Amino acid sequence: MPRVPHVLLIEDDASVRDGMELVLRRHGYAVDTAATGEDALALLARPAGHDVELAVLDLMLPGIDGFEVCRRIRASGSAIPVIMLTARGDDSDIVRGLEAGADDYVVKPVTAPVLEARIRAALRRAEPVRVRPGEDTYAGLVIDRAGLTVSKRGTPLPLPPTELRVLLELSASPGQVFSREQLLRSVWEHDFLGDSRLVDAAVGRLRAKIEDVPAKPVFVQTVRGFGYRFGPV
Amino acid sequence: MLVAVVSAVTATGLAYRESRNAVLERKQDAVRTDFKNRVDQAAADLAVPPDEVSLTRFAVGVADGLGDTVVVAEYRTLRASSDASADRTRISRALRDAVRTRNRMSFQRVDRHGSPYLVVGTPVTFDSGTPSGLDVYAISSLRAEQDDTAGILDAVRDGLLPVLLLTVALALLAARTVLRPVRELGRATRRHAAGDLTSRVVVPKGRDELADLARDFNDTAQALETSVDELREQEAKARRFVADVSHELRTPLAAMTMVATVLDEDAAQLPPDTAHAARTVSAETARLSRLVDDLMEMSRFDSGAARLNLGEVDLAETVRNTLTLRGWTERVRAELPPGVRAVVDPRRIDVAVANLVGNALRHGAEPVTVTLAPGGDWVTVEVADRGPGLAPDVLPHVFDRFYKADSARTRSEGSGLGTAIALENARLHGGTIEVANRPEGGAVFTLRLPWRRGEGAEE
């Protein structure tokens, strides 16, 4: 009996919500739905809500909007992947959504295969990986590759899966430069011309948590014109 | 203003010179005429050769009636003067030579001890015209005349200042009342030309032509601004409408697109007609989505909301990705030299190249070639096909929205906005797309981008 992935759909339009639910159920997902951000947050707060492994979140919602819902999901300490559904595909929406803590986004209308591919990739990022067993320490930053935890000067730093995966990927080969395209392929599994802003946003969120001075990063450094590099610390 | 001052000073200077010359000329003429008359009269009584006594009497006779003038008469070595104390060195050698050799009346102005003198010399001739050997010189002071001209100069100097002030005042007045309004009109017109339709001019007081002109200008500007505002308003409304419609279409399309998969998956188990209908609905839904996507993209360009999301990429890799993603690798011959790194928005380059290649595959004939060529400040991506090329009447409209080269042609799978979007993406980069027919047949589209090289430096 394969494990059934549990997805929460947050979408105010009934037809879109039902369509997504129909397709995902047919393809073997357990689906919860919410028509508003408030309902979604209430559902996640209930014990049953702890089974939810991923949220598909529409940005245009009555009441509190998708950006705010995303921020509150993150603020509650939940690290579930969030895929934003944006009807506009406007750059400003995408950037705001990613800053609010979304891991990926799809533009409406989206085909079922694309949505599913994104969901699968996001869920895989949340699974334990064994990049390289062991524990690495860099100037007070401890990355436990076995336990998939990160702590700084003894304080645990909870990281959402996408950010953790970016950190593991970069720190597996300290000093090596990774292009945004490489990271999109390895972390997001985008096998198409993805959006490098996903990488920039995830790196930005990661820096905000692990760097002393996010504007002057030590661990995740930018190599202008090429990409990112872990260290040298 | 400057012109006024300069002209006042110049005019005064000229006037002074003129008057000074006129005074001296008059004196010269007077002396010449009187002197000649006196010499003629006195010479008639003089026996030649004279002795000292008769020569002196002659000189005195000439001087009599010439006012403040000393007369010197010379006959060979004999010299006599009407005034014994007179200083004869005032007759210069040059003057003497002129009188003797040229045998005619000559003039010279000399300065002695700071006083100006006019010296006139004339030979005395016999009635036959041959020189008699007698030369007569009249030395008259020009002091009076100098005082006159000095007086003129003083008068001019004293007069110049008020005149200057008056000139300046007049110039300012002219500038205020004529030049300034004209200049302001010019400025306002230029601002208009630059696109600032709000510029107006201050209407000068009064009922003259300038005031009328300024008023007319303002009225015209106002009318123009109003109609342009109305046009812009209408255009903005039309654009918002397109954007809103596209946006409204997204939600039902999102639902349809989502469930279309179910139709595709189950079509095989449906009765043939139902299966066909299901597949058609699914395919048309996909096409409608693409059209709405393109409409949204176009309305973003129109509203100026399109932004470049720049990154440094290897262009060969970007173009290769474009071909791979769409499954065109087999159908397109690509010449992509490696190492052409440029700062671009990869998504937009992908869209532009995909549109051009898709176009070539649909309307041209294979093989389609994609060539990346770096060169100086520009990078070009050339998309060429081996089809019949484009008809001359089609060429100018290739980038028009929804332009159908053949009105009878069945709809292609494109939205009709592909080339327009490709061009907008090129323009957003500061580049362009050119289209032409190749001499060896087939159409060629050239995407030309400014080659912005990355810094490659570390932050």
Side-chain angles (χ1 to χ4, degrees), chain B residues 96-132:
Chain B
R96 227 181 235 118
D97 288 350
V99 171
R100 280 207 188 145
T101 55
R102 283 197 303 191
N103 193 25
R104 50 188 273 209
M105 189 184 275
S106 302
F107 292 84
Q108 193 175 35
R109 276 183 215 164
V110 291
D111 258 337
R112 301 287 309 163
H113 315 302
S115 299
Y117 289 91
L118 178 68
V119 184
V120 187
T122 183
V124 178
T125 54
F126 294 119
D127 292 344
S128 60
T130 48
S132 63

Side-chain angles (χ1 to χ4, degrees), chain A residues 11 13 15-16 18-23 26-27 60 86-91 107-113 115-116 181 185 191-197 200 207 221-226 229, chain B residues 247 250-255 257-259 261-262 265-266 289 292-293 296 300 305-313 317-318 321-322 325 341 345-348 350-351 454-459:
Chain A
E11 162 66 60
D13 185 87
S15 297
V16 178
D18 292 350
M20 283 197 293
E21 187 181 1
L22 170 67
V23 169
R26 275 172 64 107
H27 291 205
M60 302 274 286
T86 158
R88 279 213 288 275
D90 282 356
D91 292 359
V107 179
K108 279 190 204 176
V110 56
T111 62
L115 179 65
E116 263 199 88
E181 289 76 21
R185 273 194 292 270
D191 51 352
F192 53 91
L193 204 86
D195 187 339
S196 59
R197 281 172 304 187
D200 296 339
R207 280 175 178 164
Q221 301 182 3
T222 303
V223 183
R224 240 206 192 356
F226 291 96
R229 177 183 66 200
Chain B
H247 189 72
R250 291 202 157 215
T251 306
L253 266 175
T257 305
M258 200 40 75
V259 296
T261 313
V262 178
E265 284 168 352
D266 294 358
S289 285
V292 169
D293 267 344
M296 286 294 289
R300 271 195 287 273
R307 292 277 173 274
L308 281 175
N309 178 28
L310 292 170
E312 191 182 344
V313 294
E317 208 175 299
T318 307
N321 276 342
T322 300
L325 287 177
R341 296 186 65 81
D345 183 336
R347 185 186 73 82
R348 295 191 181 280
D350 169 71
V351 167
E455 295 151 58
E458 298 196 14
E459 252 178 13

